[in-house]
Amino acid sequence: KEILGIPDDYLVGIVPASDTGAYEMAMWNMLGARDVDICHWESFGKGWFADAISHLKLRDTVTVNEHTADYGHLPDLSKCDPKNDICFTFNGTTSGVRVHEGCDFIADDREGITFCDATSACFAMNMPWEKLDVTTYSWQKVLGGEGAHGVLVLSPRAVERIESFTPENRPLPKIMRLAKKGKIDAGIFKGATINTPSMLAVEDYIGALEWSKSIGGVQGLIKISQDNLKVIEDFVEENDFISFLAEDPSIRSSTSVCLKLDLTPDQIKSLVALLETENVAYDIGGYRDAPPSIRIWCGSTVETEDVKALMPWLKWAYHEVQN
C-alpha cells in the first residue's frame, strides 16, 4: 500500500493463480449486479469478455456491451456508461497499448464499479486509485518476482458489492469465494495463509518491495520503465525499418513495447531466433494472436543500459535476415 499509494480504506489480498486467478475471482463474485461495459483491445481483455459471455453467461441476465479495437489502438472508451460496471485492461500486454493517463473515461460519480486488470501496469505506471474499484496484478510482471500468486485490491465500493450481491445459480468453488456468511472474507486481506501461498515467494516479493523503496518507490520504478521506452523511441525515430504497433504516443506502453518491422512474418521469426542464438535477447517474438511483430519487455527491473545495448543488435539482425 505504501509503495503503490493505495488508499488506507482499500483492501489488499493475496489470492491463488496469478493475475488470472485474481481477475476471475472478481468477475465470478461481483459481475451480474448491473449492466456491463467490457473494453478490450488485445488477447487478455478479449479473454475476459469471452469468459463473461460464455462461462458466466451474463447476457442471460444483464446487458453486456463490447467495446473493442484492433491491435495498436484503443476503443472509444467514452462510450462506457457510468451506470454500468466497466471491465478493462490498464495496459494491453500483447498489444503495447495502455489507457490514457488518469483514466478520465471513468466517471467520479459512477454508479457501477470498475474491474481493472493492471498486471503489466502496477509499479510501472501511475494508478488513479480513485477510479479503480477492483484492481488485479501478479508478482512476476513489473517487479519480476516469482509467479503463482495474484494480488486483489478492493475499494470500499467493491467490498459493498461483495457483501450485498449474491449471484443466482452461480456456484463458486471454495478457492474462489470472497465472502463468508454475507461478509467479506477478511482473512484473505490480513495475510492469512489461505490456500497456502508459497512462503519463499512471499519472501522474494518482500525483497522486491524493499528494493523498490530503495530506488525511490513507485516514481523511481516508473522512471526506469519510461527511460527504457525512451531508448526504443529514439531508435525507432532514427530507423525507417521499425515502428511502434501503438502509433499514438499517449497510449504507448512503457512495459510491453510492441514493434512492427519491415519484414515478412517468417523473417521476423528468423530475427527472433537469431538474437536468441546470439544470447542477446530471449522470447521477444510478438504474441501469437498479435500482428507479426516483436515485443521487448521494458519493465522496472530491466536496466536501461541493457535496452541500449540491444538496439545495435536489432539493426544487425534486421539486415542479416533481410539479406
Side-chain angles (χ1 to χ4, degrees), residues 240-270:
D240 293 336
F241 68 85
I242 190 167
S243 60
F244 286 95
L245 196 56
E247 296 176 4
D248 179 355
S250 69
I251 60 170
R252 191 175 290 160
S253 170
S254 64
T255 55
S256 52
V257 180
C258 297
L259 300 156
K260 298 179 290 184
L261 298 166
D262 185 18
L263 296 171
T264 67
D266 285 342
Q267 285 176 320
I268 291 175
K269 290 179 182 178
S270 297

Side-chain angles (χ1 to χ4, degrees), residues 23-33 36 38 47-62 64 87 115 165 167-173 176:
Y23 204 83
E24 290 282 359
M25 286 176 76
M27 290 177 69
W28 282 78
N29 280 271
M30 288 182 259
L31 285 179
V36 192
I38 301 182
W48 304 140
F49 173 74
D51 283 357
I53 299 303
S54 301
H55 298 283
L56 282 167
K57 300 186 184 303
L58 289 180
R59 281 185 169 157
D60 290 350
T61 55
V62 297
V64 179
C87 298
F115 295 73
F165 172 65
E168 290 186 17
N169 302 316
R170 191 186 297 170
L172 289 176
M176 293 185 69

Side-chain angles (χ1 to χ4, degrees), residues 47-83:
W48 304 140
F49 173 74
D51 283 357
I53 299 303
S54 301
H55 298 283
L56 282 167
K57 300 186 184 303
L58 289 180
R59 281 185 169 157
D60 290 350
T61 55
V62 297
T63 299
V64 179
N65 303 307
E66 181 185 15
H67 308 296
T68 187
D70 292 334
Y71 277 78
H73 303 276
L74 272 182
D76 183 358
L77 299 178
S78 68
K79 292 181 178 179
C80 292
D81 189 332
K83 294 181 180 179

Side-chain angles (χ1 to χ4, degrees), residues 228-236 238-239 241-242 257 259 275 280 294 296 298 304-318:
N228 292 340
L229 173 62
K230 182 64 165 57
V231 170
I232 298 178
E233 286 180 330
D234 290 345
F235 182 78
V236 169
E238 295 165 3
N239 293 276
F241 68 85
I242 190 167
V257 180
L259 300 156
L275 291 173
V280 171
I294 61 173
I296 301 172
C298 288
T304 303
E305 290 303 313
D306 287 337
V307 182
K308 290 179 180 177
L310 173 61
M311 296 301 100
W313 281 98
L314 269 182
K315 192 170 186 176
W316 169 81
Y318 167 77

Side-chain angles (χ1 to χ4, degrees), residues 19 22-39 41 45 48 56 58 84-90 99 105-106 110-118 127 131-136 152-155 157-159 161-162 165 170 178:
D19 175 68
Y23 204 83
E24 290 282 359
M25 286 176 76
M27 290 177 69
W28 282 78
N29 280 271
M30 288 182 259
L31 285 179
R34 57 177 61 235
D35 295 345
V36 192
D37 289 309
I38 301 182
C39 312
W41 51 94
W48 304 140
L56 282 167
L58 289 180
N84 296 350
D85 289 340
I86 302 173
C87 298
F88 71 103
T89 307
F90 198 98
V99 293
F105 69 96
I106 298 171
R110 61 191 176 279
E111 296 177 28
I113 63 176
T114 57
F115 295 73
C116 174
D117 173 358
M127 305 301 296
K131 303 279 190 178
L132 309 178
D133 296 306
V134 177
T135 307
T136 66
L152 180 62
V153 184
L154 301 179
S155 74
R157 300 177 75 249
V159 173
R161 169 70 62 85
I162 291 168
F165 172 65
R170 191 186 297 170
L178 290 173

Side-chain angles (χ1 to χ4, degrees), residues 134-243:
V134 177
T135 307
T136 66
Y137 68 90
S138 60
W139 293 356
Q140 75 268 28
K141 279 293 194 298
V142 176
L143 289 190
E146 290 298 319
H149 305 306
V151 174
L152 180 62
V153 184
L154 301 179
S155 74
R157 300 177 75 249
V159 173
E160 192 276 332
R161 169 70 62 85
I162 291 168
E163 295 184 341
S164 64
F165 172 65
T166 302
E168 290 186 17
N169 302 316
R170 191 186 297 170
L172 289 176
K174 181 181 178 182
I175 199 171
M176 293 185 69
R177 295 173 198 158
L178 290 173
K180 184 182 289 186
K181 296 180 180 179
K183 294 292 184 182
I184 191 83
D185 188 348
I188 296 172
F189 305 95
K190 292 182 178 178
T193 53
I194 295 173
N195 300 315
T196 320
S198 163
M199 294 298 103
L200 284 174
V202 170
E203 285 299 320
D204 178 77
Y205 189 51
I206 290 171
L209 291 171
E210 289 174 342
W211 169 76
S212 301
K213 198 171 181 179
S214 75
I215 64 165
V218 73
Q219 292 308 314
L221 295 167
I222 290 171
K223 184 179 185 304
I224 292 172
S225 186
Q226 291 289 342
D227 288 348
N228 292 340
L229 173 62
K230 182 64 165 57
V231 170
I232 298 178
E233 286 180 330
D234 290 345
F235 182 78
V236 169
E237 183 70 25
E238 295 165 3
N239 293 276
D240 293 336
F241 68 85
I242 190 167
S243 60

